[in-house]
Amino acid sequence: MKRLLFILCLLLSLNANSQCVFNQSSNIVPAGPYQPGDVVTVTYTLGTFTGININWIHAFQINLGAGWTNLTPIITPGNPFGSIGNWLWDLQNTYPGGFNFGPGWRFVNTGTAGWGTSSSGPFTMSFQVTVAPTCTPDNLNISMEVFDDCTTGGWANGNCCIDPVYNIYNGLVQINLPTTAPINHY
């Protein structure tokens, strides 16, 4: 019974911490651990975005550990029943209000500049990354952040949706040290 109550409390606390994002999931192929040169494909889905005070979804930011290189977009998020506009891949963008974003996808609303999309999802996207050449166990963490147009400065109607970062992968580069025969010193 205690275990059931603990699980129930844990699930309730997870929902309480997420204001606007619901039903996040991810898939990473191949599964880790990873060595230098490995190419990994990540697929992320945000099932539903429910904005507070009409704040609309505006950007998906990918956060990578120092051990990754060659970030390449594959599938752009959709815009089901959303505002007029499109998702744009960006390595770095500073919004007019000064919010610094990137890398990831940001929505360009062609109806009202600075606003996100009214779509509530689902949003699915994918990208590839490569483990950088290294001799050290560098950080290979991958996470996703979702921002609304209040956070980016395009809409100023009350509280913003500040949701926790969604962790996709945590790990370090696996280093295979070369083995050598014993050295004879004569």
Side-chain angles (χ1 to χ4, degrees), residues 150-169:
C150 177
T151 302
T152 60
W155 178 250
N157 184 14
N159 295 329
C160 298
C161 300
I162 299 175
D163 291 295
V165 174
Y166 179 78
N167 289 315
I168 295 172
Y169 182 79

